[in-house]
mmCIF file of all heavy atoms in Angstrom:
data_model
loop_
_atom_site.group_PDB
_atom_site.id
_atom_site.type_symbol
_atom_site.label_atom_id
_atom_site.label_comp_id
_atom_site.label_asym_id
_atom_site.label_seq_id
_atom_site.Cartn_x
_atom_site.Cartn_y
_atom_site.Cartn_z
ATOM 1 N N ARG A 21 22.328 3.536 14.715
ATOM 2 C CA ARG A 21 23.072 2.307 14.443
ATOM 3 C C ARG A 21 23.747 1.800 15.712
ATOM 4 O O ARG A 21 23.792 0.590 15.960
ATOM 5 C CB ARG A 21 24.124 2.561 13.347
ATOM 6 C CG ARG A 21 25.021 1.358 13.058
ATOM 7 C CD ARG A 21 24.234 0.191 12.506
ATOM 8 N NE ARG A 21 25.082 -0.962 12.207
ATOM 9 C CZ ARG A 21 24.626 -2.112 11.722
ATOM 10 N NH1 ARG A 21 23.335 -2.267 11.487
ATOM 11 N NH2 ARG A 21 25.451 -3.102 11.477
ATOM 12 N N PHE A 31 22.165 -9.012 23.078
ATOM 13 C CA PHE A 31 21.312 -10.188 22.920
ATOM 14 C C PHE A 31 22.154 -11.419 22.611
ATOM 15 O O PHE A 31 21.957 -12.487 23.216
ATOM 16 C CB PHE A 31 20.292 -9.951 21.796
ATOM 17 C CG PHE A 31 19.439 -11.148 21.510
ATOM 18 C CD1 PHE A 31 18.260 -11.362 22.211
ATOM 19 C CD2 PHE A 31 19.814 -12.083 20.547
ATOM 20 C CE1 PHE A 31 17.477 -12.485 21.966
ATOM 21 C CE2 PHE A 31 19.038 -13.202 20.298
ATOM 22 C CZ PHE A 31 17.856 -13.406 21.002
ATOM 23 N N PRO A 44 16.707 -17.635 23.664
ATOM 24 C CA PRO A 44 16.782 -18.268 22.345
ATOM 25 C C PRO A 44 16.989 -19.770 22.439
ATOM 26 O O PRO A 44 17.538 -20.281 23.419
ATOM 27 C CB PRO A 44 17.979 -17.574 21.691
ATOM 28 C CG PRO A 44 18.796 -17.044 22.821
ATOM 29 C CD PRO A 44 17.826 -16.701 23.902
ATOM 30 N N TRP A 48 23.179 -17.653 19.195
ATOM 31 C CA TRP A 48 23.192 -16.729 18.062
ATOM 32 C C TRP A 48 24.412 -15.832 18.161
ATOM 33 O O TRP A 48 24.650 -15.203 19.188
ATOM 34 C CB TRP A 48 21.934 -15.865 18.068
ATOM 35 C CG TRP A 48 20.674 -16.595 17.738
ATOM 36 C CD1 TRP A 48 19.912 -17.356 18.576
ATOM 37 C CD2 TRP A 48 20.030 -16.634 16.464
ATOM 38 N NE1 TRP A 48 18.829 -17.873 17.913
ATOM 39 C CE2 TRP A 48 18.870 -17.441 16.611
ATOM 40 C CE3 TRP A 48 20.301 -16.067 15.217
ATOM 41 C CZ2 TRP A 48 18.002 -17.695 15.561
ATOM 42 C CZ3 TRP A 48 19.437 -16.314 14.167
ATOM 43 C CH2 TRP A 48 18.306 -17.122 14.345
ATOM 44 N N GLN A 52 24.823 -13.327 13.074
ATOM 45 C CA GLN A 52 23.549 -13.999 12.802
ATOM 46 C C GLN A 52 22.359 -13.163 13.251
ATOM 47 O O GLN A 52 21.345 -13.095 12.559
ATOM 48 C CB GLN A 52 23.532 -15.363 13.495
ATOM 49 C CG GLN A 52 24.461 -16.386 12.867
ATOM 50 C CD GLN A 52 24.572 -17.651 13.693
ATOM 51 O OE1 GLN A 52 24.445 -17.628 14.918
ATOM 52 N NE2 GLN A 52 24.809 -18.776 13.022
ATOM 53 N N PRO A 67 28.404 -6.584 10.709
ATOM 54 C CA PRO A 67 28.715 -6.644 12.139
ATOM 55 C C PRO A 67 29.834 -5.698 12.552
ATOM 56 O O PRO A 67 30.040 -5.481 13.755
ATOM 57 C CB PRO A 67 29.126 -8.103 12.350
ATOM 58 C CG PRO A 67 29.642 -8.546 11.021
ATOM 59 C CD PRO A 67 28.820 -7.806 9.994
ATOM 60 N N ASP A 74 20.727 4.186 10.665
ATOM 61 C CA ASP A 74 20.215 2.896 10.226
ATOM 62 C C ASP A 74 18.763 3.099 9.820
ATOM 63 O O ASP A 74 18.198 4.182 10.022
ATOM 64 C CB ASP A 74 20.334 1.843 11.335
ATOM 65 C CG ASP A 74 20.836 0.500 10.801
ATOM 66 O OD1 ASP A 74 20.617 0.218 9.610
ATOM 67 O OD2 ASP A 74 21.437 -0.254 11.581
ATOM 68 N N VAL A 82 4.936 -2.883 6.421
ATOM 69 C CA VAL A 82 3.592 -3.118 5.876
ATOM 70 C C VAL A 82 3.328 -4.604 5.689
ATOM 71 O O VAL A 82 2.225 -5.095 5.979
ATOM 72 C CB VAL A 82 3.408 -2.351 4.557
ATOM 73 C CG1 VAL A 82 2.093 -2.730 3.887
ATOM 74 C CG2 VAL A 82 3.453 -0.847 4.810
ATOM 75 N N ALA A 84 4.506 -7.051 7.448
ATOM 76 C CA ALA A 84 4.227 -7.625 8.764
ATOM 77 C C ALA A 84 2.881 -7.154 9.295
ATOM 78 O O ALA A 84 2.153 -7.930 9.935
ATOM 79 C CB ALA A 84 5.349 -7.259 9.740
ATOM 80 N N LEU A 103 -5.393 -11.479 25.178
ATOM 81 C CA LEU A 103 -4.682 -10.749 26.228
ATOM 82 C C LEU A 103 -3.814 -9.690 25.550
ATOM 83 O O LEU A 103 -3.048 -9.999 24.630
ATOM 84 C CB LEU A 103 -3.821 -11.721 27.029
ATOM 85 C CG LEU A 103 -3.068 -11.206 28.256
ATOM 86 C CD1 LEU A 103 -4.013 -10.533 29.239
ATOM 87 C CD2 LEU A 103 -2.344 -12.361 28.933
ATOM 88 N N GLY A 107 4.559 -2.364 26.950
ATOM 89 C CA GLY A 107 5.584 -1.703 27.751
ATOM 90 C C GLY A 107 5.813 -0.273 27.330
ATOM 91 O O GLY A 107 6.790 0.346 27.758
ATOM 92 N N HIS A 108 4.915 0.273 26.510
ATOM 93 C CA HIS A 108 5.085 1.625 25.959
ATOM 94 C C HIS A 108 3.887 2.511 26.310
ATOM 95 O O HIS A 108 3.069 2.813 25.450
ATOM 96 C CB HIS A 108 5.224 1.569 24.441
ATOM 97 C CG HIS A 108 6.455 0.899 23.953
ATOM 98 N ND1 HIS A 108 6.485 -0.445 23.614
ATOM 99 C CD2 HIS A 108 7.707 1.366 23.752
ATOM 100 C CE1 HIS A 108 7.709 -0.756 23.215
ATOM 101 N NE2 HIS A 108 8.468 0.315 23.293
ATOM 102 N N HIS A 116 -2.632 -0.538 20.735
ATOM 103 C CA HIS A 116 -3.186 -1.579 21.600
ATOM 104 C C HIS A 116 -4.581 -1.192 22.097
ATOM 105 O O HIS A 116 -5.493 -2.027 22.124
ATOM 106 C CB HIS A 116 -2.258 -1.819 22.787
ATOM 107 C CG HIS A 116 -0.891 -2.304 22.417
ATOM 108 N ND1 HIS A 116 0.031 -1.501 21.793
ATOM 109 C CD2 HIS A 116 -0.285 -3.508 22.592
ATOM 110 C CE1 HIS A 116 1.145 -2.185 21.602
ATOM 111 N NE2 HIS A 116 0.976 -3.409 22.073
ATOM 112 N N CYS A 128 -14.980 -10.540 21.133
ATOM 113 C CA CYS A 128 -13.866 -11.233 21.784
ATOM 114 C C CYS A 128 -13.892 -10.983 23.290
ATOM 115 O O CYS A 128 -14.366 -9.944 23.755
ATOM 116 C CB CYS A 128 -12.531 -10.747 21.224
ATOM 117 S SG CYS A 128 -12.211 -11.238 19.519
ATOM 118 N N ILE A 130 -11.709 -10.008 26.296
ATOM 119 C CA ILE A 130 -10.424 -9.403 26.625
ATOM 120 C C ILE A 130 -10.079 -9.772 28.062
ATOM 121 O O ILE A 130 -10.781 -9.394 29.007
ATOM 122 C CB ILE A 130 -10.463 -7.866 26.455
ATOM 123 C CG1 ILE A 130 -10.885 -7.489 25.036
ATOM 124 C CG2 ILE A 130 -9.099 -7.273 26.786
ATOM 125 C CD1 ILE A 130 -9.993 -8.036 23.935
ATOM 126 N N ALA A 138 2.173 -7.290 41.987
ATOM 127 C CA ALA A 138 3.521 -6.740 41.850
ATOM 128 C C ALA A 138 4.388 -7.622 40.970
ATOM 129 O O ALA A 138 4.268 -8.851 40.994
ATOM 130 C CB ALA A 138 4.163 -6.602 43.225
ATOM 131 N N GLU A 149 14.683 0.584 41.319
ATOM 132 C CA GLU A 149 14.705 -0.060 42.616
ATOM 133 C C GLU A 149 13.310 -0.186 43.222
ATOM 134 O O GLU A 149 13.094 -0.972 44.126
ATOM 135 C CB GLU A 149 15.612 0.734 43.571
ATOM 136 C CG GLU A 149 17.066 0.793 43.121
ATOM 137 C CD GLU A 149 17.667 -0.585 42.901
ATOM 138 O OE1 GLU A 149 17.358 -1.496 43.687
ATOM 139 O OE2 GLU A 149 18.447 -0.753 41.952
ATOM 140 N N GLY A 167 0.694 2.334 41.556
ATOM 141 C CA GLY A 167 -0.581 2.889 41.139
ATOM 142 C C GLY A 167 -0.541 4.358 40.823
ATOM 143 O O GLY A 167 -1.590 4.983 40.614
ATOM 144 N N TRP A 171 4.869 3.060 33.518
ATOM 145 C CA TRP A 171 6.281 3.068 33.179
ATOM 146 C C TRP A 171 6.560 2.277 31.910
ATOM 147 O O TRP A 171 5.977 1.222 31.671
ATOM 148 C CB TRP A 171 7.100 2.449 34.320
ATOM 149 C CG TRP A 171 7.357 3.404 35.441
ATOM 150 C CD1 TRP A 171 6.623 3.543 36.584
ATOM 151 C CD2 TRP A 171 8.413 4.358 35.523
ATOM 152 N NE1 TRP A 171 7.155 4.514 37.376
ATOM 153 C CE2 TRP A 171 8.253 5.045 36.753
ATOM 154 C CE3 TRP A 171 9.464 4.696 34.674
ATOM 155 C CZ2 TRP A 171 9.123 6.047 37.160
ATOM 156 C CZ3 TRP A 171 10.322 5.706 35.078
ATOM 157 C CH2 TRP A 171 10.152 6.372 36.311
ATOM 158 N N MET A 179 3.798 -10.207 32.394
ATOM 159 C CA MET A 179 3.105 -11.280 31.678
ATOM 160 C C MET A 179 3.194 -12.586 32.461
ATOM 161 O O MET A 179 2.222 -13.357 32.529
ATOM 162 C CB MET A 179 3.695 -11.458 30.278
ATOM 163 C CG MET A 179 3.044 -12.553 29.452
ATOM 164 S SD MET A 179 1.258 -12.338 29.182
ATOM 165 C CE MET A 179 1.245 -10.910 28.078
ATOM 166 N N SER A 188 -3.304 -20.624 38.003
ATOM 167 C CA SER A 188 -3.647 -20.967 39.381
ATOM 168 C C SER A 188 -5.144 -20.999 39.617
ATOM 169 O O SER A 188 -5.630 -21.713 40.507
ATOM 170 C CB SER A 188 -2.996 -19.971 40.348
ATOM 171 O OG SER A 188 -3.558 -18.675 40.196
ATOM 172 N N ALA A 192 -8.808 -20.702 31.303
ATOM 173 C CA ALA A 192 -8.195 -21.030 30.017
ATOM 174 C C ALA A 192 -7.186 -19.961 29.617
ATOM 175 O O ALA A 192 -7.375 -18.769 29.888
ATOM 176 C CB ALA A 192 -9.275 -21.150 28.945
ATOM 177 N N PHE A 198 -1.546 -10.017 22.126
ATOM 178 C CA PHE A 198 -1.165 -8.851 21.319
ATOM 179 C C PHE A 198 -0.342 -7.966 22.243
ATOM 180 O O PHE A 198 -0.879 -7.357 23.175
ATOM 181 C CB PHE A 198 -2.427 -8.141 20.832
ATOM 182 C CG PHE A 198 -2.192 -6.964 19.933
ATOM 183 C CD1 PHE A 198 -2.133 -7.137 18.559
ATOM 184 C CD2 PHE A 198 -2.055 -5.687 20.446
ATOM 185 C CE1 PHE A 198 -1.931 -6.042 17.713
ATOM 186 C CE2 PHE A 198 -1.848 -4.598 19.610
ATOM 187 C CZ PHE A 198 -1.782 -4.776 18.240
ATOM 188 N N ASP A 200 4.029 -6.331 23.304
ATOM 189 C CA ASP A 200 5.373 -5.926 22.893
ATOM 190 C C ASP A 200 6.334 -6.155 24.057
ATOM 191 O O ASP A 200 5.942 -6.623 25.125
ATOM 192 C CB ASP A 200 5.394 -4.463 22.409
ATOM 193 C CG ASP A 200 4.851 -3.479 23.435
ATOM 194 O OD1 ASP A 200 5.169 -3.613 24.635
ATOM 195 O OD2 ASP A 200 4.091 -2.571 23.062
ATOM 196 N N GLY A 202 8.823 -7.269 26.915
ATOM 197 C CA GLY A 202 8.822 -8.493 27.698
ATOM 198 C C GLY A 202 7.459 -9.121 27.848
ATOM 199 O O GLY A 202 7.360 -10.335 28.096
ATOM 200 N N GLY A 205 7.488 -11.344 24.908
ATOM 201 C CA GLY A 205 8.488 -12.390 25.029
ATOM 202 C C GLY A 205 8.086 -13.475 26.003
ATOM 203 O O GLY A 205 8.246 -14.666 25.722
ATOM 204 N N ALA A 210 5.949 -19.013 26.878
ATOM 205 C CA ALA A 210 4.945 -19.920 27.435
ATOM 206 C C ALA A 210 4.234 -20.724 26.354
ATOM 207 O O ALA A 210 3.328 -21.500 26.664
ATOM 208 C CB ALA A 210 3.932 -19.127 28.248
ATOM 209 N N GLU A 231 12.742 -18.181 14.993
ATOM 210 C CA GLU A 231 12.741 -19.509 15.591
ATOM 211 C C GLU A 231 11.355 -20.149 15.595
ATOM 212 O O GLU A 231 11.190 -21.275 16.078
ATOM 213 C CB GLU A 231 13.265 -19.431 17.030
ATOM 214 C CG GLU A 231 14.751 -19.121 17.121
ATOM 215 C CD GLU A 231 15.276 -19.182 18.554
ATOM 216 O OE1 GLU A 231 14.460 -19.057 19.498
ATOM 217 O OE2 GLU A 231 16.489 -19.367 18.722
ATOM 218 N N ASP A 241 9.265 2.044 14.668
ATOM 219 C CA ASP A 241 9.680 2.839 15.817
ATOM 220 C C ASP A 241 8.509 2.843 16.789
ATOM 221 O O ASP A 241 7.438 3.370 16.487
ATOM 222 C CB ASP A 241 10.043 4.264 15.401
ATOM 223 C CG ASP A 241 10.711 5.040 16.530
ATOM 224 O OD1 ASP A 241 10.287 4.862 17.703
ATOM 225 O OD2 ASP A 241 11.613 5.846 16.268
#
Side-chain angles (χ1 to χ4, degrees):
R21 176 64 179 180
F31 176 88
W48 290 81
Q52 289 172 330
D74 223 333
V82 172
L103 185 55
H108 294 94
H116 298 70
C128 291
I130 303 301
E149 298 305 322
W171 279 95
M179 180 59 69
S188 67
F198 183 91
D200 56 42
E231 290 186 338
D241 190 322

